[in-house]
Amino acid sequence: DPLRRPFDVGVRCLGWRMNTRIFSQELQVALTHPPRPTRSVGGTSVSAPPEGKYPWIGPDYQAEGVPGMYFAGAIAHGRDFRRSAGGFIHGFRYTARALYRCLRKEEGMGWPNRRTVDLHKVSGAARLAMVLLRRVNEAAGLYQMFGELADAVLFAASPEGNSNAGPLDLERGLEAEYLEEVPVAMLHEDPFWRKRPRLLLTFVYGKRFGPLDLPSPGAVGPEFGELSAFLHPRLELFPGEGSGTQSLSGGLHLAPFPVELAVGEASDAEARRRWRPHPPPRQRPVLSHALVEDVLTEWDSEVGHVTPLRRFVVAALACSARL
């Protein structure tokens, strides 16, 4: 009733599209017209957002058609459109921080919040398991940007390792470098990360998750954590590649820098759109472990979470030492 509750203007909010009027016509085409009908997330193709709604950006939040232009905030939600929370403040505050870290790495300053986990002692596996468990229970970026950001443990042969170590001491021949909240696609596509064996910690929903699939205590036992429907932590161990230019399946890697292309009759905008090759196929994990869902999102049960995680870390270290 306009007499009882008067108003001046009614605003109908039905979504938004990126305002490209500040860009030239060529840049508008390069930013909003995807070079492919689908995009890659860690080598897995997913549907792209509606054309023109978001800029077409890569895993480092850099415009795929315009090298040197980056996007942050809700406008970067095109990376995780309808997959994660990057369109909201509780999500894009973490992708904006990831962009800052990507720029640091590009400038040669390395990834911040990087640490080395000492595996040279008998308790090395237990120490790594405790680091992972703390991050599982405290890392807001992984929880809010599920499937988009990951913690990564990068393995390398240690010069201090014992070459004569027995089967239970293989982790002594490894060095572990722990990095926080790295875009998942970068870890799978960039040769800098892809060439090393790596253990990734992410949060995921179950494959058959629906609106009514809320966690029910005791519904899924710890030995069947992969059957969890609600948001839960997952660890996956991926092998490294011996070459920085060839993938295990023969595909090209994502070029770390722009490459010169013979464009022929193509416009400058078209050349920019094709400035980097198609991402390589995603590697398959050699080991994986899911921590069973928890209604209180507290993964600290000794039987349900801690002990299975420790066992998996021991197996992952032994496997990494052989990769």
Side-chain angles (χ1 to χ4, degrees), residues 218-239:
V220 179
E223 68 274 21
F224 300 110
E226 69 277 3
L227 300 180
S228 298
F230 198 64
L231 195 60
H232 61 281
R234 179 178 295 273
L235 293 112
E236 295 178 312
L237 176 66
F238 292 90

Side-chain angles (χ1 to χ4, degrees), residues 22-297:
I22 64 174
F23 303 116
S24 67
Q25 187 64 35
E26 284 189 343
L27 285 182
Q28 290 181 30
V29 173
L31 289 172
T32 60
H33 290 71
R36 298 178 292 275
T38 60
R39 77 174 320 128
S40 173
V41 179
T44 301
S45 294
V46 297
S47 297
E51 187 172 298
K53 183 172 179 63
Y54 297 102
W56 189 260
I57 58 178
D60 55 355
Y61 307 102
Q62 181 177 194
E64 292 224 8
V66 189
M69 180 178 289
Y70 297 83
F71 291 88
I75 201 170
H77 183 40
R79 276 301 309 175
D80 58 285
F81 180 71
R82 293 185 176 177
R83 293 188 303 106
S84 196
F88 308 92
I89 180 61
H90 67 270
F92 67 66
R93 59 181 174 180
Y94 299 109
T95 58
R97 183 168 65 182
L99 168 59
Y100 159 72
R101 294 172 174 175
C102 290
L103 294 175
R104 275 182 52 103
K105 172 181 173 292
E106 185 174 306
E107 293 297 322
M109 294 184 288
W111 197 264
N113 291 349
R114 178 176 55 184
R115 77 188 85 169
T116 300
V117 181
D118 186 5
L119 301 177
H120 301 154
K121 300 179 181 179
V122 176
S123 59
R127 186 178 297 105
L128 178 57
M130 288 300 99
V131 172
L132 289 166
L133 191 64
R134 182 182 64 80
R135 290 290 295 167
V136 162
N137 285 284
E138 297 179 2
L142 301 185
Y143 186 85
Q144 300 291 358
M145 288 306 301
F146 50 89
E148 177 68 14
L149 299 179
D151 277 10
V153 185
L154 306 179
F155 297 110
S158 170
E160 302 177 22
N162 181 5
S163 60
N164 297 319
L168 299 180
D169 296 323
L170 285 174
E171 66 269 17
R172 296 192 191 179
L174 290 174
E175 286 184 341
E177 187 179 18
Y178 198 103
L179 292 81
E180 297 180 3
E181 297 178 18
V182 184
V184 171
M186 285 186 66
L187 291 164
H188 290 302
E189 297 175 10
D190 192 327
F192 182 83
W193 313 105
R194 186 177 169 102
K195 66 184 179 181
R196 294 176 61 178
R198 59 207 181 277
L199 177 64
L200 305 190
L201 167 62
T202 57
F203 276 78
V204 297
Y205 280 95
K207 294 182 179 179
R208 299 181 179 180
F209 174 75
L212 301 180
D213 291 323
L214 298 178
S216 178
V220 179
E223 68 274 21
F224 300 110
E226 69 277 3
L227 300 180
S228 298
F230 198 64
L231 195 60
H232 61 281
R234 179 178 295 273
L235 293 112
E236 295 178 312
L237 176 66
F238 292 90
E241 292 183 349
S243 169
T245 58
Q246 194 79 9
S247 72
L248 292 179
S249 55
L252 286 174
H253 278 257
L254 181 69
F257 301 101
V259 295
E260 296 294 332
L261 297 174
V263 298
E265 299 298 323
S267 66
D268 291 341
E270 181 66 20
R272 282 192 291 265
R273 287 172 57 198
R274 295 187 282 124
W275 74 283
R276 51 177 153 190
H278 197 288
R282 177 173 175 172
Q283 295 171 303
R284 292 185 177 182
V286 293
L287 283 179
S288 64
H289 174 67
L291 273 70
V292 66
E293 62 188 14
D294 187 82
V295 67
L296 300 177
T297 64

